[in-house]
Amino acid sequence: VCDHTGRTLLTADDICVDRPRGTMWVEEIRIEKPDFRRSGLGKIFLANLIETAREMGLLRLSLRAGREDGAYFWSRRGFRLDDDPLAAPERRQSKIFRENIEKALGELKDSSLTAAFAQAVRGALDTQGTRANCVISRIPGAGDDGHPLAAQVLGRATSFLAYIDLNDPDHMAEVKASLAVAPFAAPV
């Protein structure tokens, strides 16, 4: 995605369509210019991806939610952990995710990490299954630097496979609600 001057603002390394499985896979999505982060550009890109996938008759939109702000962003948009039921139990995303979140909580032993926040994260891990990352992304609390604790915890966990079920009305309602915010605002 480029602006009117041709500057690259957002890139996706690869977009693949697996028609037999009804899936669009997007790899390595990045906002290239830091001043365009939190501008609404990622939400516009996601809304267009969803529309394109639905027009193609696909059932699923999948990606790897990266570290740093990527995991937080995609979790806030309703992308759920993609737990392959055919994978060995020790290779399932929810197990790996849980281990990495527990490790991240252990690394955040600063004054901003409260017992209530850690308890809420563990509660989401225990009860939410493949939605745990989405629930964690909405737990309130900020670190000493003002950055959301949920973003710090999700960013310290390794990247994970995530998906949107385009045919699940409840899942799509959650995603659409996350996109219904202020329109794109280019930085000055």
Side-chain angles (χ1 to χ4, degrees), residues 1-177:
V1 177
C2 297
D3 68 5
H4 66 283
T5 67
R7 274 189 317 169
T8 301
L9 304 177
L10 182 144
T11 60
D13 286 352
D14 205 5
I15 298 177
C16 302
V17 175
D18 182 346
R19 285 201 184 273
R21 292 188 181 164
T23 300
M24 178 183 285
W25 174 262
V26 185
E27 188 70 42
E28 293 295 325
I29 301 166
R30 289 180 305 284
I31 302 286
E32 296 292 342
K33 304 290 181 193
D35 53 332
F36 276 86
R37 293 187 180 129
R38 293 177 181 75
S39 67
L41 185 61
K43 293 175 192 167
I44 291 168
F45 181 72
L46 175 56
N48 285 317
L49 273 178
I50 291 169
E51 184 178 335
T52 300
R54 291 186 108 174
E55 286 173 0
M56 295 174 73
L58 299 174
L59 309 172
R60 210 168 209 223
L61 180 58
S62 296
L63 55 78
R64 180 171 299 282
R67 295 176 68 117
E68 300 172 9
D69 289 340
Y72 182 67
F73 176 84
W74 297 113
S75 297
R76 297 269 306 175
R77 299 302 156 285
F79 275 82
R80 298 176 183 173
L81 294 171
D82 197 350
D83 240 358
D84 180 356
L86 301 177
E90 68 277 1
R91 299 297 307 149
R92 292 201 178 132
Q93 292 295 302
S94 57
K95 180 179 183 346
I96 295 166
F97 179 77
R98 179 185 195 96
E99 291 167 357
N100 289 323
I101 291 294
E102 288 289 352
K103 182 179 174 190
L105 286 173
E107 292 172 358
L108 284 175
K109 295 279 186 193
D110 62 12
S111 61
S112 61
L113 182 64
T114 64
F117 177 82
Q119 182 178 2
V121 169
R122 289 186 177 104
L125 291 170
D126 290 342
T127 63
Q128 296 300 315
T130 60
R131 290 190 70 247
N133 63 308
C134 301
V135 173
I136 290 168
S137 74
R138 301 197 182 289
I139 297 172
D144 294 334
D145 61 358
H147 199 60
L149 283 171
Q152 293 179 43
V153 168
L154 288 168
R156 288 174 194 254
T158 59
S159 60
F160 52 89
L161 301 177
Y163 77 98
I164 294 175
D165 183 339
L166 300 169
N167 285 338
D168 179 339
D170 293 334
H171 196 166
M172 287 309 299
E174 180 182 346
V175 171
K176 286 180 182 177

